[in-house]
Amino acid sequence: MNNIYMGIDVGGTNIKFGKFNANGDILNKWEITTRIVNNGEFILPDICDQIFTHIDYGDKLKGVGIGVPGPVTKSGVVLGCVNLGWPIYNIEENLSNLLGGIKVKACNDATVAALGECYKGAGINCTDMVLVTLGTGVGSGIIVDGKLMLGYNGAAGEIGHMPVKCDETEYCTCGKKGCLEQVASATGLVREAQRIMKSTDISTTLRSINSFSAKDILDLAKLDDKVAMDVIELTMGYLGIALASVACVINPKQILIGGGLSKAGTFLLNIIEEQFKQYVFKPCGDIEFKLATLGNDAGIFGAAALIINS
Amino acid sequence: MNNIYMGIDVGGTNIKFGKFNANGDILNKWEITTRIVNNGEFILPDICDQIFTHIDYGDKLKGVGIGVPGPVTKSGVVLGCVNLGWPIYNIEENLSNLLGGIKVKACNDATVAALGECYKGAGINCTDMVLVTLGTGVGSGIIVDGKLMLGYNGAAGEIGHMPVKCDETEYCTCGKKGCLEQVASATGLVREAQRIMKSTDISTTLRSINSFSAKDILDLAKLDDKVAMDVIELTMGYLGIALASVACVINPKQILIGGGLSKAGTFLLNIIEEQFKQYVFKPCGDIEFKLATLGNDAGIFGAAALIINS
């Protein structure tokens, strides 16, 4: 029999699956659409269907790791995944029961992605690291001393809601003002660009693009468009402040940058590192900045690591 | 034979000692003056003298725990304790050699104090907590999942140098501007009071005190002196911002407030909690605020716990 493990990454749009051997080598990967109707009640049955369909003759399923978009307590209770419509319930117990008692380990998706990068990506062999995800939102997963940092309620690493911009006038989705996510996410970049464009006459190619995106801003900044560059320096300045605070609190060895915005590559990475250096306390500032390398697969690798190492 | 442990807290002025049994009950405590001359070369020999003097007939010394004012790596290397004049060296090995091979565990003093509060103080049985020390400086010690969070270079918990005040014009001792310690320490309170007094004509008893202290400000705030109260709200507002960030990063269950300023008691504690609530991300905001209870003994209790639990 071949011992196999499933690594699963549940998102609001898709559910990604990876089938792994005991060494964490990926044997197969695929994805399905997330059915969020009826408070997400089809999600676990759909996952079980997929698992059973992909177990081959000679496979012995030893366990399932799963990352979900919301806080998960140490005992496996999801504390409300708003995107999926889920109530508060014990996902480890429920999924295990549906799978006839197979062991299940669940965790927040950002933390699982960090574990994935430590396991098979840019953070390999690093025991103290933070994976920062810059996309529609801003999140992070934290590894301390080789272990996932979950937090008392499973809400550790929620850096998107660190208060960094004291003069922000608009509200964040969380109900506060001045959160990191309001400035350093893809939507944050676009909003700050619109603000800067309103406040100045400086010419910028952004004015000629109908509803430009964060990618447009990054592409133009690389071409020395002044307004685009100002937007990146302003927004990554706030990220630098937030990461300087993270460094004071947990003193990691590495900070990895992932998520959609990180496709801008070393151009963006270097700006983030420069901004960070301006604000960080020196004894906590000796940090390697790297780009994450697993992209959208970080979650399934991390979910596999979660169960294989459990 | 009685198994005993020594818990030692090395400060820039005094070295505190506690003699403990294996249950962590304190049998005796005392202190000596820290001899910082000659780059602190007498400190370890002085410590050994004290230990040998206080071992009684029938005692068997099983180990020594020690907290020092600076970062200590996981392997026991102090990375420069500026206050003591110490170079970079392995304190665990050196002290153990001087003691004929007795086991020694060393750690940063703020972290050791947090461990002390968890072991026998206000944080008893709490596995996820932060002890914030508000005194001449601002520091913290962090316990995650029942373990000390040391950080990659032993510099975790350095919250005094989180950047929180973007419009600060003066430099912090660390060389940056806008650190938490510049506003929320005893000296920070005095400076902010002087600034507010210069910018307003409002009458305050502070004007009648020749070189007032942080304690004077806190005492007057309790008596409804408006300027004193404004100072406390302003400075604790910055502390609230910093602790809201700490909560997003590590999601603790408890935040304990200790250090000299905490003698202002629940009056100050309530203001800190109110300010924190204004800034924290709700899923990370379910935190108990408590006053630390061990005072200056937190260090020796924590140092004892460090070695007894090792």
Side-chain angles (χ1 to χ4, degrees):
Chain A
M1 297 292 271
N2 308 316
N3 288 336
I4 63 151
Y5 297 83
M6 295 289 180
I8 303 172
D9 182 12
V10 183
T13 311
N14 293 308
I15 305 174
K16 299 184 186 72
F17 295 81
K19 179 176 164 181
F20 294 84
N21 66 19
N23 297 325
D25 301 319
I26 191 160
L27 307 171
N28 189 10
K29 66 172 183 168
W30 70 99
E31 60 184 72
I32 63 170
T33 300
T34 312
R35 287 203 284 161
I36 55 173
V37 291
N38 285 10
N39 290 325
E41 71 174 18
F42 300 118
I43 295 175
L44 291 194
D46 284 354
I47 286 173
C48 291
D49 279 353
Q50 289 297 316
I51 291 175
F52 291 131
T53 305
H54 287 79
I55 294 177
D56 297 323
Y57 182 76
D59 285 347
K60 182 168 171 49
L61 180 63
K62 296 291 283 181
V64 173
I66 185 166
V68 299
V72 181
T73 70
K74 291 164 195 171
S75 53
V77 176
V78 293
L79 294 177
C81 289
V82 185
N83 293 343
L84 307 181
W86 278 352
I88 294 176
Y89 77 110
N90 192 312
I91 188 175
E92 291 183 359
E93 271 179 30
N94 276 268
L95 184 54
S96 178
N97 288 341
L98 289 173
L99 291 168
I102 294 290
K103 190 172 177 187
V104 175
K105 292 296 289 176
C107 195
N108 172 268
D109 56 359
T111 310
V112 163
L115 185 61
E117 290 288 345
C118 266
Y119 190 51
K120 298 280 178 181
I124 205 158
N125 295 327
C126 183
T127 55
D128 293 86
M129 60 84 91
V130 180
L131 169 65
V132 176
T133 311
L134 303 176
T136 317
V138 173
S140 82
I142 302 174
I143 311 284
V144 168
D145 227 354
K147 294 182 196 74
L148 294 174
M149 191 163 75
L150 304 173
Y152 177 63
N153 283 327
E158 290 282 6
I159 66 166
H161 299 282
M162 289 172 75
V164 292
K165 195 179 176 203
C166 52
D167 58 354
E168 177 58 53
T169 52
E170 289 181 37
Y171 285 98
C172 179
T173 51
C174 77
K176 308 254 167 210
K177 288 177 185 174
C179 293
L180 177 63
E181 185 163 295
Q182 285 186 278
V183 278
S185 63
T187 41
L189 262 63
V190 170
R191 185 171 49 192
E192 293 299 332
Q194 286 163 341
R195 284 176 174 174
I196 291 180
M197 284 159 66
K198 264 188 205 163
S199 72
T200 171
D201 289 338
I202 302 175
S203 82
T204 163
T205 310
L206 287 172
R207 294 191 203 277
S208 65
I209 307 174
N210 204 0
S211 76
F212 55 82
S213 67
K215 182 176 184 304
D216 294 325
I217 301 170
L218 282 158
D219 287 346
L220 287 169
K222 285 183 186 176
L223 299 173
D224 273 339
D225 181 291
K226 177 162 176 359
V227 169
M229 194 62 203
D230 286 350
V231 173
I232 301 303
E233 292 205 322
L234 174 74
T235 55
M236 295 303 115
Y238 286 112
L239 181 61
I241 290 174
L243 295 182
S245 284
V246 170
C248 283
V249 178
I250 61 170
N251 181 213
K253 185 184 182 202
Q254 281 185 353
I255 294 180
L256 306 187
I257 306 293
L261 296 190
S262 72
K263 290 179 188 158
T266 50
F267 169 76
L268 184 68
L269 189 74
N270 292 342
I271 293 172
I272 295 171
E273 185 171 0
E274 273 166 34
Q275 294 290 340
F276 168 81
K277 290 240 151 93
Q278 279 192 43
Y279 295 106
V280 75
F281 179 48
K282 210 163 165 259
C284 303
D286 177 23
I287 289 181
E288 270 178 79
F289 277 76
K290 291 171 98 171
L291 292 166
T293 55
L294 295 180
N296 290 333
D297 289 344
I300 56 174
F301 276 97
L306 197 63
I307 186 69
I308 293 173
N309 298 336
S310 72
Chain B
M1 296 294 271
N2 308 314
N3 288 337
I4 62 152
Y5 297 84
M6 294 290 179
I8 303 171
D9 182 12
V10 183
T13 310
N14 294 307
I15 305 173
K16 298 185 188 71
F17 295 80
K19 179 175 163 181
F20 294 82
N21 66 20
N23 296 325
D25 301 318
I26 192 160
L27 307 172
N28 189 9
K29 67 172 183 168
W30 69 98
E31 60 185 71
I32 63 170
T33 301
T34 312
R35 286 203 286 161
I36 54 174
V37 290
N38 286 9
N39 291 325
E41 69 174 18
F42 300 118
I43 294 175
L44 291 195
D46 284 354
I47 287 173
C48 291
D49 280 353
Q50 289 297 315
I51 292 174
F52 290 132
T53 306
H54 286 79
I55 295 177
D56 298 323
Y57 181 76
D59 285 346
K60 181 167 172 50
L61 180 63
K62 297 290 285 182
V64 173
I66 185 165
V68 300
V72 181
T73 69
K74 290 164 195 170
S75 53
V77 176
V78 293
L79 295 176
C81 289
V82 185
N83 293 342
L84 307 181
W86 278 352
I88 294 177
Y89 78 109
N90 192 311
I91 188 175
E92 291 183 357
E93 271 179 31
N94 276 268
L95 184 55
S96 178
N97 288 342
L98 290 174
L99 292 169
I102 294 291
K103 189 172 177 188
V104 175
K105 293 296 290 176
C107 195
N108 173 267
D109 55 358
T111 310
V112 163
L115 185 61
E117 290 287 345
C118 267
Y119 190 53
K120 299 280 179 180
I124 205 158
N125 295 327
C126 183
T127 55
D128 294 86
M129 61 83 92
V130 180
L131 169 65
V132 175
T133 309
L134 303 176
T136 316
V138 173
S140 81
I142 301 174
I143 311 285
V144 169
D145 228 353
K147 295 184 195 72
L148 294 173
M149 192 162 74
L150 303 174
Y152 177 64
N153 283 327
E158 290 282 6
I159 66 166
H161 300 281
M162 290 172 75
V164 292
K165 195 179 174 202
C166 52
D167 59 353
E168 178 59 53
T169 52
E170 290 182 35
Y171 285 98
C172 179
T173 51
C174 77
K176 308 254 166 209
K177 288 176 184 174
C179 295
L180 176 63
E181 185 163 295
Q182 286 186 279
V183 277
S185 62
T187 41
L189 262 63
V190 170
R191 187 172 47 194
E192 293 300 333
Q194 286 163 342
R195 285 176 174 174
I196 291 180
M197 284 160 66
K198 265 188 203 160
S199 73
T200 172
D201 288 337
I202 301 175
S203 83
T204 163
T205 310
L206 287 172
R207 295 192 201 276
S208 64
I209 307 174
N210 203 0
S211 76
F212 55 80
S213 66
K215 182 176 183 305
D216 294 326
I217 301 169
L218 283 159
D219 287 346
L220 287 169
K222 285 184 188 177
L223 298 173
D224 273 339
D225 181 293
K226 178 164 176 356
V227 170
M229 195 61 203
D230 286 351
V231 173
I232 300 303
E233 293 204 322
L234 174 74
T235 56
M236 295 304 114
Y238 287 111
L239 181 61
I241 289 173
L243 295 182
S245 284
V246 171
C248 283
V249 178
I250 60 170
N251 181 213
K253 185 183 182 206
Q254 282 186 352
I255 293 181
L256 306 187
I257 306 292
L261 296 190
S262 73
K263 290 180 186 158
T266 50
F267 169 76
L268 184 68
L269 188 74
N270 292 341
I271 293 171
I272 295 170
E273 185 171 0
E274 273 167 33
Q275 294 290 339
F276 168 82
K277 291 239 151 94
Q278 278 193 43
Y279 296 105
V280 74
F281 179 48
K282 210 161 163 263
C284 303
D286 178 23
I287 289 182
E288 272 177 79
F289 278 76
K290 291 170 96 172
L291 292 166
T293 54
L294 295 179
N296 289 332
D297 289 344
I300 56 174
F301 276 97
L306 198 62
I307 186 69
I308 293 172
N309 297 335
S310 72

